[in-house]
Amino acid sequence: MKANLSLLGVNANYELRLLKYSTLNLEAGVEMGLSYSNSSYFGEDWEFAAYPVFSAEFRQYYGIARRAEKNKRIDNNAGNFFSLTGGYIGEPLTSTKYSTGSVFITPAWGMQRSWGRRFSFEGRFGLTFFPKEYADVVQPSIRINFGYIIL
């Protein structure tokens, strides 16, 4: 179990090993979003929201054996991975604009590294798909986490 602090939120996750190089990462937390828009028709607009997020992520790690051969750290799943995340973003806890909850799917590439026995770093880059009733929304997904390993 790990507690994480990201650039735009806090969360806790538990990574469960499924196979030798495959895991299921279960996560719950609060994330924040900030956006700005400027158009001649609508004018300038800043938006902010903080909302609960729940997700399950399948991770397939690669290159772990090669990292071990080079005497690089592999504890706490330190390595590169491909992932597929599915989750739910709840109703905003606070927001400058009303928004409803939604589901999302994110295919991504990421890396996780250990610092000492208890600290970790994770970076993940991908695309997030928000299937909606009338139109699908796609946006880039960049995640940077600094974690403290509890268990």
Side-chain angles (χ1 to χ4, degrees), residues 3 10 15 26 40 48 69 73 83 91 95-96 108 124 127 147:
V10 295
E15 195 166 3
L26 304 172
S40 59
F48 169 81
E69 288 172 4
R73 297 188 68 164
S83 69
E91 296 291 329
S95 176
T96 57
R124 189 176 72 188
L127 288 175

Side-chain angles (χ1 to χ4, degrees), residues 54-72:
F54 306 94
S55 66
E57 175 184 34
F58 175 78
R59 291 182 176 182
Q60 180 63 48
Y61 286 89
Y62 66 92
I64 300 288
R66 186 176 29 162
R67 284 183 61 81
E69 288 172 4
K70 293 180 179 182
N71 293 322
K72 293 184 178 182

Side-chain angles (χ1 to χ4, degrees), residues 31-126:
E31 293 189 7
M32 293 168 267
L34 180 65
S35 68
Y36 173 78
S37 63
N38 186 1
S39 71
S40 59
Y41 184 75
F42 293 109
E44 294 184 43
D45 191 22
W46 280 96
E47 295 179 26
F48 169 81
Y51 42 85
V53 177
F54 306 94
S55 66
E57 175 184 34
F58 175 78
R59 291 182 176 182
Q60 180 63 48
Y61 286 89
Y62 66 92
I64 300 288
R66 186 176 29 162
R67 284 183 61 81
E69 288 172 4
K70 293 180 179 182
N71 293 322
K72 293 184 178 182
R73 297 188 68 164
I74 60 169
D75 55 325
N76 299 316
N77 295 325
N80 300 342
F81 59 86
F82 292 105
S83 69
L84 183 62
T85 305
Y88 178 74
I89 297 173
E91 296 291 329
L93 303 171
T94 182
S95 176
T96 57
K97 204 172 214 184
Y98 179 76
S99 178
T100 60
S102 63
V103 297
F104 65 91
I105 299 168
T106 305
W109 172 88
M111 65 178 202
Q112 185 167 257
R113 299 294 186 262
S114 294
W115 290 336
R117 293 182 186 264
R118 294 279 186 194
F119 294 96
S120 70
F121 167 80
E122 177 184 317
R124 189 176 72 188
F125 310 94

Side-chain angles (χ1 to χ4, degrees), residues 8 31 51 104-108 124-130 137-143:
L8 295 173
E31 293 189 7
Y51 42 85
F104 65 91
I105 299 168
T106 305
R124 189 176 72 188
F125 310 94
L127 288 175
T128 298
F129 299 89
F130 294 95
V137 177
V138 179
Q139 68 185 35
S141 175
I142 300 171
R143 182 175 189 170

